[in-house]
Amino acid sequence: MINWDTYQQLVIEHLNRKISSEDNPDQNQAISAPTTESQFLVAGPGSGKTTVMVLKILKFIYVDDVHPSSILATTFTRKAASELRSRILSWGDEIRQVLLKTPEFKGIHPHLRRLDFNQIITGTLDSISQDILKIHRAPGAAPPVVIQDFVTSALMLNMGLFKEEKHHNEDLRDYLIKLRGGAFGFNTNEMCKQLLEIKDRVYYDQVEWDQLAREKQHQHPGFEVAYQAINDYLCELESRSLYDFAMLEAEFLDQLKTGKLDDFLEGLKLILVDEYQDSNLLQEQIYFQLARAAINNGGSMTVVGDDDQSLYRFRGATVDLFTNFLKRFTTQIQGNQPVLIHLSQNYRSTKNIVKFCNAFSQLDSGFQTARVNDKPAIQPERSPPFTDFPVLGMFRKDVETLACDLSQFIEQVVCKDGYRVQDHLIKVNPDEGSPTDLSILLSSPQERAYKNKKLPYYLREKLQIPIFNPRGQSLERTWETQVMCGLMLDCIDPECHVQDSIEKLPSTAKNNFKNWRKTAREYLKTNPEPSSPVSLTLFVEAWQKRQPLGRKTWKKTVPLLDLAYKLVTWIPNLQDDVEGLVYLEAITRTISETALFSYYAGELVFDEEDPDLECYSIKDAYWNIFVPLATGAIKVDEGLLDTLPDNRINIMSIHQSKGLEFPLVIVDVGSDFRTNHRMNAFKRFPDDGGKSCTMEDEIRSCSPLGTPQRLGKERAFDDLTRHYFVAYSRAQDILLLVGLTTYPDIPNVATGWIRNGNWPWEGLDNIIMI
């Protein structure tokens, strides 16, 4: 369509992206490559990897005249996929409009008008797999029905653990406790999580499941029970033609291998994969199948990622697939050698922050052997004007004092005249005073750990600015969940007759049901009567008596979701508060998703001729909806947090912050560490591999990957280094580390301790204390 020089000029002048070989030779090399050149892009934080992916895709279309439907681009999260697609559409159309206004290109105007960037295949691997399997299914075959991650725990509880009371099996409990490294906090929900982790690992690492069972059954009797529970779960899903995400990806790979998707592969030419460092073996094999087809069609594959930002070992990611990508690709795909390009120019952060991040990543010589070979340091390339603030630290004697002083600092920089450090004035967004320019990152945003109040709890209490931390409490303990679920229980089973008839209900569920009802009844007493004719009290009483309001007869079937949405109208927190909306979404999605596999499809049945149906349908709701909610199996996951509110201080986990950036970032490096206690060692200075590494060692003996080369303890140190590298590199202007004054006495990777026990950053003299 147009030549490279014209495209490059359009990008520079109209998209304001400096991609010339003089300004940014690495980005230039990555974007300008021919369609046949596969690439391995090692992209450091703030290096513009999304920009490179988008401009590379648009170059394929505008310069190489590749049809948009021949391009597949995937990334790790729905939010990132949405951003990728949005930028492709926006920039693609901007270039088109310029070309349409230029008489020189009149000959291609008809072609430009026909261009449809929506034909580019973008999304997460899960969403792309589901769409392709749906579109290219055999005649008469049903499309794949996929259950979301947040309800898989509910399924494992009911189909795996509760079946034959496996959750009471002592062998299973002992096996899972040894696998997780201790009994502290162990409960039914933890059992469920571990079984799902084993199941996911089996799929992700392509484990020979039956071979593993034969190998492990002689080592611990509990494995056989775990094996049966997982098989019960899988069989139940298969019998209902349901898939979880791991099963979906496995089905996609199988159909790619067996030729069932050849009609799709025939049109594929270019594959681009973002966040490749968090891929697993199953996903790698999918990508390689797609790459073979693309290369056979005269195209290529590009992977983008950064091993220093690999955070998801606990979800099955294998960072070695990234660090060894060149070798693995050339071994499995003949005749196509990817070109290695380092995107190391950082356009996000100030020089001091980049220097701090570089120093942190290079501190530990033991970590260097786990990185991509000969990896260059990040280069600060942010355009002026900006103030090069020093990296700051705030450490106090206890967590409450820390929260108090930190709250004052935040209010000073957001709402008042700013905070002066040396000759610099720190003032967040002086024009608007928006709290969204600031984020507080922690390993866990939980506000309580059993009876202990944590930093986010005190910040919620002391800050005058409201915070946004929906993951600060377990969903089942939030006031909103207690009121909502308590009212629903009081409507459908007011005297607890059905509940009491259920044998062997988990004690955790019983206790939470009691608390929910109590909270709901207290709310019912204090809830002011609305101006509308029907009050909440009248509505609940009508439900309890099964007396219709405004109708002649009571409905024979009522979706539980309808009841939930009607109750919401009397609970302002679930309508107006941003955190309440997240909790409402979690509850309603649980109800709607469980309708896919529950016997009564999430409906309550009222039949005068067969009154037992009412009891059975309510029991079904207890087991499939309320028990999973009450036992903590349903979480507020990242999928519910796609948008951050613009009027609150964001408190989030470091994992959740991946891919984000903020002018001011506050990283909690030790508010939980009062003493050098072994119980918190895994969060700061590991003495063993921890749960994730133990799981890898347990499972991978029967995987093509084989057992890991590095010891579990070494991998745990690697992961902790990556964890805080991601946190520190989110900051654009100001980075503030916070913790307790006990930090000199407590080994902690986050404060610069290294695995041999030395402390190169002794005293943290490299940061300015405030």
Side-chain angles (χ1 to χ4, degrees), residues 744-755:
D745 305 316
I746 300 177
N748 185 352
V749 167
T751 54
W753 290 73
I754 59 178
R755 66 191 73 194

Side-chain angles (χ1 to χ4, degrees), residues 20-179:
S20 69
S21 55
E22 293 81 16
D23 289 321
N24 195 324
D26 296 327
Q27 284 196 4
N28 181 276
Q29 182 186 358
I31 297 166
S32 65
T35 57
T36 54
E37 180 178 287
S38 294
Q39 293 181 339
F40 178 39
L41 306 183
V42 181
S47 61
K49 65 183 178 68
T50 304
T51 292
V52 170
M53 284 188 70
V54 172
L55 294 180
K56 193 172 175 68
I57 289 168
L58 294 177
K59 182 262 181 186
F60 289 146
I61 294 170
Y62 280 113
V63 178
D64 301 309
D65 205 16
V66 173
H67 195 276
S69 64
S70 299
I71 302 171
L72 184 150
T74 179
T75 188
F76 193 67
T77 65
R78 284 176 293 182
K79 184 174 182 179
S82 176
E83 166 64 21
L84 180 68
R85 186 172 191 80
S86 173
R87 212 181 292 189
I88 290 170
L89 296 175
S90 172
W91 288 1
D93 191 58
E94 199 165 337
I95 291 173
R96 171 167 46 194
Q97 294 308 318
V98 173
L99 292 172
L100 286 171
K101 293 175 183 176
T102 307
E104 179 187 346
F105 301 105
K106 187 176 180 180
I108 62 170
H109 283 183
H111 185 49
L112 288 170
R113 292 190 182 97
R114 288 194 301 271
L115 265 184
D116 184 2
F117 298 109
N118 282 298
Q119 291 182 303
I120 300 168
I121 303 167
T122 60
T124 63
L125 182 57
D126 294 325
S127 67
I128 290 172
S129 301
Q130 186 173 5
D131 288 345
I132 292 171
L133 289 173
K134 179 180 179 181
I135 294 168
H136 296 274
R137 68 187 188 274
V145 179
V146 183
I147 56 171
Q148 301 298 312
D149 273 343
F150 64 91
V151 294
T152 54
S153 293
L155 286 163
M156 182 60 80
L157 276 175
N158 287 303
M159 300 174 183
L161 271 178
F162 291 156
K163 189 175 181 179
E164 299 172 356
E165 297 184 52
K166 295 184 189 74
H167 60 301
H168 291 313
N169 186 285
E170 290 301 321
D171 288 334
L172 177 62
R173 295 176 68 86
D174 182 68
Y175 172 71
L176 295 178
I177 286 170
K178 286 180 178 176
L179 201 58

